[in-house]
């Protein structure tokens, strides 16, 4: 299974944009890039996913490098509620397994 | 619409006792999962089920058994609990093998003493 590498932790100021990086140099052509986040004392929740093109939804944007070896989750205006652990996960198309890594713990400073 | 419901929310077991963690989803999902999360760590996949009647091992299946009772329910059984199984257990479900989002329950906090 292809692996992802994320920084252990990051800090950002409230109301500023946040760019969370993820490296996945061994990604294969059928791997989708998924992001989940886990707020304190809660189960993970889906954020966004993509294959090749950049994606936007109400929560965030996903920027995927042209060679697909890295991606960036963008929170456009961080709030205190965005403090969480963010997981970047590769899921092959037509595969059921969802394997989590260690993720990035995001701290938001008021 | 409750989503993914786990019972119980908290449980304390003595070493050697058995118990079953229950999970039910009301979204007509085909795929269901069990994870454990130790303090300060990420989630590790125990077992998953692609459809009713099928189950597959994940990363850490030893010490656990699962049953996909029907499409709605996926249970996790600890036959002889050990202190190393103290953890928070999460159940999840998603539509199927297509790239759709997974929904997670709120977790069961299990302590084995």
């Amino acid at each position: 299974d292809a692996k992802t590498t994320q920084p252990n932790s990051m800090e950002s100021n409230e109301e500023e944009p946040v760019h969370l990086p993820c490296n996945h140099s061994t990604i294969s052509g059928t791997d989708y890039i998924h992001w989940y986040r886990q707020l304190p004392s809660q189960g993970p929740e889906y954020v966004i996913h993509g294959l090749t093109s950049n994606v936007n939804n109400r929560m965030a944007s996903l920027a995927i490098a042209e060679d697909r070896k890295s991606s960036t989750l963008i929170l456009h205006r961080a709030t205190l509620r965005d403090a969480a652990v963010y997981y970047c996960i590769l899921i092959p198309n037509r595969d059921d397994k969802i394997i989590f890594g260690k993720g990035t713990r995001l701290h938001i400073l008021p | 619409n409750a989503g993914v419901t786990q019972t119980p929310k908290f449980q304390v077991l003595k070493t050697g006792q058995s118990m079953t963690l229950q999970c039910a989803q009301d979204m007509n999902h085909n795929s269901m999962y069990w994870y454990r999360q130790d303090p300060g760590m990420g989630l590790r996949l125990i077992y998953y089920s692609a459809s009713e009647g099928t189950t597959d091992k994940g990363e850490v299946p030893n010490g656990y058994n699962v049953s996909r009772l029907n499409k709605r329910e996926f249970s996790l059984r600890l036959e002889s609990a050990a202190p190393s199984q103290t953890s928070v257990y999460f159940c999840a479900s998603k539509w199927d093998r297509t790239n759709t989002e997974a929904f997670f329950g709120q977790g069961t906090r299990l302590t084995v003493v």
Side-chain angles (χ1 to χ4, degrees):
Chain A
D1 294 338
K3 301 288 186 205
T4 62
T5 303
Q6 299 178 252
N8 288 334
S9 66
M10 291 182 61
E11 271 186 3
S12 181
N13 294 319
E14 194 178 10
E15 298 184 5
E16 290 185 356
V18 181
H19 290 236
L20 294 158
C22 181
N23 287 319
H24 29 77
S25 58
T26 60
I27 191 170
S28 75
T30 60
D31 288 343
Y32 279 74
I33 302 160
H34 286 243
W35 284 82
Y36 283 78
R37 72 178 185 180
Q38 187 174 21
L39 302 172
S41 300
Q42 294 192 25
E45 64 177 353
Y46 167 83
V47 178
I48 200 166
H49 78 278
L51 182 62
T52 56
S53 304
N54 294 345
V55 184
N56 300 298
N57 66 21
R58 63 173 180 82
M59 287 181 71
S61 296
L62 176 60
I64 302 172
E66 197 168 333
D67 63 4
R68 300 211 324 127
K69 293 184 186 300
S70 66
S71 60
T72 302
L73 179 71
I74 302 165
L75 307 179
H76 294 286
R77 191 168 167 272
T79 69
L80 295 177
R81 194 192 173 277
D82 291 320
V85 179
Y86 287 78
Y87 297 97
C88 171
I89 303 167
L90 301 183
I91 303 178
N93 194 28
R94 310 302 293 177
D95 195 327
D96 267 307
K97 282 199 294 188
I98 307 174
I99 303 295
F100 285 76
K102 292 183 170 52
T104 297
R105 184 172 296 278
L106 176 64
H107 302 272
I108 304 297
L109 305 175
Chain B
N1 190 343
V4 178
T5 303
Q6 294 184 233
T7 54
K9 289 187 169 47
F10 302 93
Q11 183 71 49
V12 179
L13 286 180
K14 293 183 179 177
T15 298
Q17 284 186 318
S18 63
M19 81 160 294
T20 300
L21 279 63
Q22 306 287 355
C23 175
Q25 51 89 9
D26 61 2
M27 296 171 282
N28 203 33
H29 285 171
N30 292 294
S31 303
M32 296 187 74
Y33 306 81
W34 275 107
Y35 292 88
R36 61 176 287 174
Q37 186 172 34
D38 298 334
M41 306 290 286
L43 284 82
R44 289 185 292 171
L45 180 64
I46 305 172
Y47 272 94
Y48 64 104
S49 168
S51 62
E52 182 180 348
T54 69
T55 60
D56 285 288
K57 294 178 181 178
E59 302 171 278
V60 288
N62 290 345
Y64 304 96
N65 288 305
V66 289
S67 295
R68 184 73 184 268
L69 305 167
N70 47 54
K71 194 171 185 180
R72 285 188 67 243
E73 298 171 295
F74 189 36
S75 62
L76 179 72
R77 182 159 178 84
L78 287 70
E79 290 292 351
S80 179
S84 60
Q85 294 178 304
T86 294
S87 191
V88 179
Y89 291 84
F90 289 101
C91 178
S93 72
K94 73 181 181 83
W95 176 242
D96 63 8
R97 290 182 176 182
T98 57
N99 267 271
T100 55
E101 63 182 280
F103 294 82
F104 286 77
Q106 288 302 300
T108 294
R109 187 174 296 275
L110 175 68
T111 302
V112 183
V113 297

